[in-house]
Amino acid sequence: MPTASLSIASPSPPSQPGKTPTPAGSATPLSMLDESDEWLAFSRSLPGQPSCWESSVVFEGMHCAACALTIEEALRQVPGVQSAQVSAASHRGRIVWSDASAKPSVWMQAAARAGYPAVPANDALANDRRLVETREALWRLGVAGLCMMQVMMYAWPAYVAAPGDLAPDMAQLLRWASWVLSLPVLLFSCAPFFRNAWRDLRHRRVSMDLPVALGMGITFAVSSFGTFEPRGIFGAEVYFDSFTMFVFFLLTGRWLELRLRDRTAGALEALMNGLPASVERRGPGGAFERVAVRRLAAGDVVRVLPGEAFPGDGIILEGRTLADESLLTGESRPLARGQGDFVIAGSHNLAAPVVVRVELAGGETRFAQIVALMESASASKPEMARLADRIAKPFLLFVLAAGAGPGAYWWPHNPGHSLIVAVAVLIVTCPCALSLATPAAMLASAGSLARSGVLVRRLRALEALAAVDTVVFDKTGTLTRDAFALGEVRTRPGISRADALAMAAALAAHSLHPVSRALAAAGREIGMHPQAWSAQDVQEAPGQGVSGQICPAGGAGVAVAARLGSARFCRVAPAASAALHACLSDDQGWVATFELQEDLRPDARAAVAALAAQGMGVHLLSGDLPESAARVARQAGIVNCRASCTPQDKLAFLRSLQAQGRKVAMVGDGLNDGPVLAGAHVSFAFGRAVPLAQAQSDLVVLGDRLGAVAQTLAQARRTLGVVRQNLCWAALYNAVCVPLAVAGWLPAWLAGIGMALSSLLVVLNALRLSAAISPPESA
């Protein structure tokens, strides 16, 4: 997905249903996003689905799981919107729509009418709006705090005065003073709650702001009646102190929750907003001028200054610098980059200005693929969060009913007290902590893993990974390095080494298997040979080899059917050597055998030992000869090894483990192991050479550290432990406080403190997951 920043203000909800919203503070309508050049900045086309797009947006005004469900329902009612998924924790949404039936402005208007304006996820003004939102929240919090202190000062005499010490006129004066000081809290500090509650009532729905607003309104109304009519049914006592304290503590909790949520998703945000808004591009006259990054195309020459991010994948033409690729590859050390070196989009120029020729821009860069995966993950919902979403609205209806029950019970004894009891029950039963328990922990963990070079494509994978007890490794390109060195080449009489390599390279160029890449690289060294070959109608059998029609370049010859891969695939006798090898055959039989030298990854043994220390059973599956697979297994410290496996054999073995009750994680190259990766409970794609959009896995390891598998497994277990702690806390909080509120022993202000603290505790507990776990040291 192209990731250049847009600059558009968020649409304000229309005052009347049906009106087209326009960006706040601007006369520019949302229809500007209906131009394909504009929506490309926050959308990507779906492969195999013409006219279908997947957009990533951020919704404003969200507070709970019920808000996410409301947005999803509003978007799904728009013709042309095929699916909508919104995360209550990240406030991000993933919308799939057809440009033949709908445009971005249409479904954005639907979200705005529902009360939740949508803005592109990479909007350049997002930080400015967030700053404004934070300042407004602080102003509301400050007003509530100042008024609360004054109201408490006026309420204090009523608490400490003995009967007859406080004259009736003085008591009434203190009530009027408290009422006046509570008005700014009601009209300014409480405004967002009342506005959201009115929106919910107007649309005949319910969210967590509705019971909160009811509690605020009831408390102020009862106290006002008691002030105006001190001898009436509500005149026995006023609750302005409880009202202002409740509002203050609730706003404090929400403000801290907002700040903590930004920190838990900080790594995700830092990566997804990693490109600059503009860059200096060389014009026809040789002068540099600043242009929007989304206007870049392959072949453009740009100048990247120190501190800026590289806007596309490219090659340095002038200069020498240090590049920080930590968020993209997990490599923590700055890397030296000079003339002729390749730099990747999203990495940062640290040292000096450099001139770069852009090779890949926009959605073609690896950075864009990473961002697309992370945006999908940030909008996804783990199973526990889906359960919380399903019960959120019914639970809120239960909250409203639960508040009415105790109020009706206490009414005959003391009408004023009965309404305050109802308010306490409304506040204390609000499921804020419950709705945050799972997604807050999952997002914090995904952010931590992103910083260490592991992308979580689906948050539910962390749930599955926490239960894993068996890890199965592929050998080639996973336990061993991606690259092989070509060793001895044996050919049949009449075929030269150069011809054999050229024929093999022609087929290997159509495969991403590490063996194919090694042969293609060796073939490029003789690319100018007069007998270089080309291949057509190439087909790949995953894990076995490639086949096709090959002929000399230029068509000066007859095309012959050829196969490159294992001896079984090429239908020739296996080589006598125990070394890793690939065979080449044609219509006449065996053509050549290529021996390849492979090396174990330096941290492979330490990673296997770390998995074993966590109680994992470790297996190795390989399509190579038994001798080659056994050698790698011995070096890595793996006891269970199977060789000469086809993809079907690997899948059958995986299913046999699952039939024994094992929870299996598969670690492969992400492409050739597609069926077995899809069949595992959770899967890793390993290796930098894997096209991320094609990787059939739940998690993608960006760097070269095999220890990231053990690291991620430990992090998943920590994550599930934190989720359980959060859920237990939410349940314990309600189990203790609800009976106290029903009995009338829990005042509204204390219920407000409990509500705010329960949400804060959940988010703070999740924040512990932001500290990355150090991977095992290589042995």
Side-chain angles (χ1 to χ4, degrees), residues 280-283 286-290 301-304 318 355:
E280 293 183 356
R281 181 176 65 183
R282 180 183 289 171
F288 287 94
E289 58 180 357
R290 190 160 288 275
V301 176
V302 299
R303 180 167 60 194
V304 182
E318 302 174 16
V355 176

Side-chain angles (χ1 to χ4, degrees), residues 2-141:
T3 53
S5 298
L6 283 173
S7 177
I8 179 171
S10 60
S12 299
S15 57
Q16 298 177 8
K19 280 192 177 181
T20 301
T22 57
S26 171
T28 307
L30 274 177
S31 57
M32 68 176 292
L33 295 179
D34 291 345
E35 299 293 332
S36 60
D37 289 345
E38 297 295 338
W39 81 53
L40 276 172
F42 61 97
S43 308
R44 69 184 182 96
S45 60
L46 295 180
Q49 301 183 48
S51 302
C52 284
W53 298 83
E54 179 184 278
S55 297
S56 181
V57 295
V58 175
F59 293 97
E60 299 179 343
M62 289 183 59
H63 295 293
C64 63
C67 299
L69 291 178
T70 297
I71 298 171
E72 290 176 354
E73 291 172 1
L75 291 175
R76 287 167 184 160
Q77 292 174 5
V78 177
V81 173
Q82 300 179 2
S83 67
Q85 196 171 40
V86 181
S87 169
S90 66
H91 296 187
R92 285 180 171 266
R94 173 180 171 271
I95 295 88
V96 177
W97 53 282
S98 170
D99 62 13
S101 306
K103 290 294 189 287
S105 65
V106 177
W107 49 263
M108 282 187 171
Q109 289 170 16
R113 283 193 295 271
Y116 304 95
V119 294
N122 55 350
D123 186 10
L125 299 179
N127 288 336
D128 293 338
R129 280 196 304 277
R130 186 175 299 176
L131 183 60
V132 170
E133 180 185 1
T134 302
R135 285 176 177 171
E136 288 182 352
L138 280 174
W139 270 107
R140 298 184 194 280
L141 177 61

Side-chain angles (χ1 to χ4, degrees), residues 14 100 187 263 505 555 597 653 740:
L187 299 177
R263 287 189 61 187
Q597 300 170 355
F653 177 73
L740 295 176

